[in-house]
Every structure is written in structure tokens, then in C-alpha cells.
Amino acid sequence: MDKLKAIIRDIPDFPKKGIVFKDITTLLADARSFHRMIDLLAHRYVGEKIDQIVGIEARGFILGSALAYKLGTGITLVRKPGKLPYKTRSISYALEYGTDSLEIHEDAFSTGDRVIVADDLLATGGTMAAVVDLVSQCGATIHECAFMAELEFLNGREKLPDGKVYSLLKF
Ligand code: AMP
């Protein structure tokens, strides 16, 4: 795990001063690390009844699609406004300044589908909390929220369903 953590690159003051950005592209680009990260995450869910992986645009698509392939499920995309072609349901959520929105196809799930929602990194938890809400409104049940990495000092998991958060690498 320490090797995987070490390969993630810190970029100070990106995208703005005071933020240390966790650059996961270095992990994704390294074949052994990428395989290991996906295998470790997928192993957690082998044998569970998972109907669908939900990937959050954009880095959540990378983790989400690799997980879906490994687990033999499909992947549902949660996208920024105006990107999905069919009828959508949307949710707005607060950012540090202003709000943002995400969308999903309204017919994405059958009632009771169990899903894993995947994103690259858990920071304040605002994005994932909104997606949990959106996915639940569409009739699916959250099995777990899965992340490559978590910034524990931001306490993002407090915004998410109790006991349904897993991150592989903790910072
Ligand atoms: P949040 O809603 O605060 O949990 O932020 C979630 C999204 O913002 C994730 O999809 C991350 O990709 C991105 N993000 C937030 N903070 C960071 C950071 N320090 N390093 C890398 N990505 C970040």
C-alpha cells in the first residue's frame, strides 16, 4: 500500500494556492500500480451481489470502468450537465464558492439495484454525497462508495452513509 501511496504525486498550489493536489495520473500510468490498485479494490467485492458500478466524471470513469470489467457488471455514468443524451435527473450541490450540478439518465437502474459508486478521491465528500442522493432518487441501493484515495483530515466520510465508504489509500 505504501508503494501505491508513494507513486501518487503531490502538486502544491493546484488548482489554487493552499491546495495540495493528489495527482493520480502517475499511478494510472504505471502498469503494476494500476493493476494492483484495481485488483485490490475489486477483490473486496468479489462474491457480493453488485448490479452496477456508477462512475463520476471524469476520473471516476477510470476506476469505475476497470472495476465493472473485473466484477462483470455494467457501468453507469454520472456526468456534468448537458453531456448525457437521454432524459436525465440532476442534482446541485454546494462548492466552496457557488454550486455545481451532476446528471444521470433517469432510467439508469431497476428498482433495488445494488451499486458501487466510484471516484478517484474523497476530499470534502460533497460530490459523493450528491451522487449518493441522485442514485438513491433513481431507485438504486448503495452497496458502497469506493475511492482510490481519501484525504482523511477533511472528514469527507461524515457526509456519506455510515459504514458504506471504502478508500484504498489514506492520506
Ligand atoms: P470533494 O467533493 O471535496 O470530496 O471532492 C471530490 C472531487 O474533487 C474528487 O473527484 C477529486 O477528483 C477532486 N479533488 C478534491 N480535492 C482534491 C485534491 N486535493 N487532490 C486531487 N483531487 C481532488
Side-chain angles (χ1 to χ4, degrees), residues 119-139:
D119 204 0
D120 63 329
L121 182 131
L122 173 60
T124 66
T127 309
M128 184 57 89
V131 174
V132 164
D133 207 351
L134 189 60
V135 163
S136 305
Q137 285 176 28
C138 291

Side-chain angles (χ1 to χ4, degrees), residues 54-148:
V54 177
I56 305 177
E57 186 166 0
R59 284 168 298 221
F61 293 173
I62 301 164
L63 171 60
S65 55
L67 259 187
Y69 186 81
K70 275 289 235 189
L71 296 173
T73 73
I75 177 163
T76 290
L77 308 184
V78 168
R79 299 210 61 184
K80 307 214 164 109
K83 300 283 188 185
L84 288 171
Y86 186 60
K87 290 180 214 156
T88 56
R89 186 181 276 269
S90 74
I91 194 156
S92 294
Y93 57 101
L95 297 174
E96 199 178 345
Y97 301 102
T99 61
D100 216 342
S101 301
L102 286 167
E103 295 184 344
I104 194 167
H105 276 150
E106 64 173 22
D107 62 348
F109 310 112
S110 304
T111 305
D113 272 358
R114 283 188 80 77
V115 305
I116 295 169
V117 190
D119 204 0
D120 63 329
L121 182 131
L122 173 60
T124 66
T127 309
M128 184 57 89
V131 174
V132 164
D133 207 351
L134 189 60
V135 163
S136 305
Q137 285 176 28
C138 291
T141 299
I142 306 290
H143 180 80
E144 201 156 70
C145 305
F147 300 90
M148 264 184 247

Side-chain angles (χ1 to χ4, degrees), residues 149-167:
E150 173 177 4
L151 303 180
E152 287 187 298
F153 57 93
L154 292 174
N155 300 317
R157 58 173 64 221
E158 287 174 7
K159 294 201 183 84
L160 302 177
D162 217 12
K164 294 194 171 182
V165 181
Y166 182 74
S167 61

